Amino acid sequence: MSIKYREFHKPNLDYLYALVSEAKIPLAMAENLLDYWEMRLSDSRDSLYHEYFEYYLFFESMNAGILSLFIYDKFNSRVLHQYGVLSSTIPDLIQEIETSSPGYGKLLEKTFDYKEGKYLFGRIDIEYEEKEYILGMVYPPRLFAEKKLHRLEKVFIRYYLPEALRPDTRFLNFYSSLNDFVMELVNPVLREKRPVTFTYFKFEEFRKYTKLTGESFATELVNSLAEEIKNHLKSEDMIYIINPREYLIVSLNCEAEIMKSRFHRMIFQIKSLILNYNVRFTTWKVPVDDLSTIWNDIAVQ
């Protein structure tokens, strides 16, 4: 393995300064990229830390000088992965993709204007087991994008798409682990006849917001919701993310009225979105053997 790939996660960003000095991208664009990379790397919960393909795409785009990169599943009409800045351009690019002729195995390239600069959009169309995918990226002119896109295409086909290489050991028995955590937490308190309150949030279906904006925005949405809820909790309260729409809070030595007052008329505004939700407050005062026995009492159905 060459030194280049041993140092894959330590990119040399000299090219970024060259792009600015040669006026190929504005300084503000470079600063946005640096802020974006720093934000992703600073969050240990980010998917790039526990999914190989996410890690690969993130550092590949950073090493290659790609401003924005996405992988689009035409069969299901959704973005599978997305990296970089200029994410606001992606819905328009996808709409154009849907109405244009594909170019399987070759680079299709077009120029477009964005604010004060001119950029290129390159795409490669892929057929795999009767499904269609598109690798798309936005980049400054004269970046020699074809080699970079074909490199990503090979990794995507060889390592991401084959089910045999992606076993479902990625998924844990979450409910069993949740049950163990919650029972261990609440039963000592309940045995002392002290109250435990369960607060359960269920948000509206927001797939309509993330369908075109991709996993990066979905991750940001979940993290923002969890953070907004945490802002109304005490340090001893525990929050569990059941799924992107549902959140369970466990509060020891606490009555439901207290939690109701904390979240009274709460508005969840994430960026420009105001999300609707249902919330349920339940106080429990006797020990329980299994979370499933009280699930219908505490969860929003």
Side-chain angles (χ1 to χ4, degrees):
M1 184 179 288
S2 70
I3 292 177
K4 176 181 177 182
Y5 296 111
R6 284 206 302 269
E7 300 297 316
F8 183 69
H9 64 293
K10 298 178 182 179
N12 183 337
L13 299 182
D14 287 348
Y15 73 83
L16 194 59
Y17 301 106
L19 288 173
V20 173
S21 64
E22 295 168 14
K24 292 180 181 177
I25 64 171
L27 176 60
M29 181 73 71
E31 291 174 340
N32 287 342
L33 266 176
L34 291 169
D35 289 343
Y36 168 78
W37 292 332
E38 183 177 3
M39 176 193 73
R40 297 289 304 269
L41 290 168
S42 65
D43 185 357
S44 60
R45 299 168 298 177
D46 196 291
S47 54
L48 71 92
Y49 284 104
H50 52 81
E51 289 286 346
Y52 165 75
F53 193 70
E54 301 267 359
Y55 176 91
Y56 179 88
L57 283 184
F58 180 84
F59 283 102
E60 185 71 19
S61 63
M62 185 185 282
N63 277 287
I66 297 169
L67 304 178
S68 186
L69 166 69
F70 65 90
I71 298 175
Y72 181 64
D73 178 353
K74 289 185 71 175
F75 184 80
N76 294 302
S77 299
R78 66 188 184 100
V79 173
L80 297 177
H81 298 277
Q82 176 187 326
Y83 295 85
V85 295
L86 296 178
S87 57
S88 62
T89 66
I90 291 177
D92 289 338
L93 294 172
I94 288 173
Q95 188 172 14
E96 182 175 310
I97 285 170
E98 294 280 21
T99 57
S100 61
S101 300
Y104 297 113
K106 64 180 181 180
L107 173 68
L108 299 179
E109 201 171 53
K110 63 158 284 187
T111 302
F112 73 97
D113 296 324
Y114 179 80
K115 294 186 177 179
E116 67 269 41
K118 284 189 177 294
Y119 302 96
L120 291 173
F121 169 62
R123 59 181 268 208
I124 290 181
D125 297 75
I126 298 169
E127 282 188 304
Y128 187 88
E129 294 184 353
E130 299 182 352
K131 293 185 179 181
E132 296 177 69
Y133 303 89
I134 292 170
L135 299 183
M137 68 184 199
V138 177
Y139 45 93
R142 299 185 298 279
L143 190 66
F144 307 106
E146 187 161 12
K147 288 184 178 179
K148 294 177 172 66
L149 265 174
H150 279 302
R151 176 177 163 83
L152 292 170
E153 176 191 19
K154 289 178 182 177
V155 174
F156 183 62
I157 293 173
R158 291 177 183 175
Y159 301 109
Y160 182 84
L161 290 176
E163 289 294 332
L165 298 178
R166 301 171 64 235
D168 281 343
T169 51
R170 293 169 293 156
F171 301 99
L172 303 174
N173 187 342
F174 174 75
Y175 188 85
S176 176
S177 299
L178 175 66
N179 181 72
D180 292 343
F181 284 131
V182 173
M183 291 301 94
E184 185 177 345
L185 180 69
V186 305
N187 273 330
V189 176
L190 293 172
R191 280 194 288 268
E192 295 177 1
K193 302 187 183 304
R194 291 181 288 153
V196 171
T197 293
F198 299 94
T199 304
Y200 200 102
F201 281 94
K202 186 171 185 177
F203 290 88
E204 65 173 293
E205 174 61 68
F206 44 71
R207 189 175 303 167
K208 57 188 175 184
Y209 305 127
T210 60
K211 183 176 179 180
L212 292 181
T213 51
E215 290 191 7
S216 176
F217 178 72
T219 300
E220 183 180 352
L221 189 62
V222 171
N223 290 340
S224 297
L225 283 175
E227 195 61 36
E228 189 64 34
I229 292 173
K230 286 179 188 176
N231 289 338
H232 292 76
L233 301 181
K234 291 188 175 181
S235 58
E236 60 268 25
D237 295 326
M238 296 297 296
I239 178 172
Y240 301 93
I241 301 176
I242 309 299
N243 59 53
R245 294 176 58 203
E246 300 178 59
Y247 302 75
L248 173 66
I249 302 159
V250 180
S251 305
L252 307 180
N253 302 313
C254 182
E255 296 283 354
E257 287 70 21
I258 296 174
M259 299 305 292
K260 287 179 182 178
S261 66
R262 291 193 205 169
F263 291 102
H264 181 60
R265 295 183 179 177
M266 177 76 180
I267 295 175
F268 288 89
Q269 181 170 349
I270 310 300
K271 291 195 171 180
S272 59
L273 303 177
I274 296 179
L275 298 175
N276 295 319
Y277 65 91
N278 289 313
V279 61
R280 189 174 190 178
F281 305 93
T282 308
T283 297
W284 209 260
K285 296 185 178 180
V286 294
V288 290
D289 295 324
D290 193 281
L291 196 58
S292 63
T293 61
I294 62 171
W295 192 255
N296 288 337
D297 295 300
I298 65 176
V300 175
Q301 305 302 320

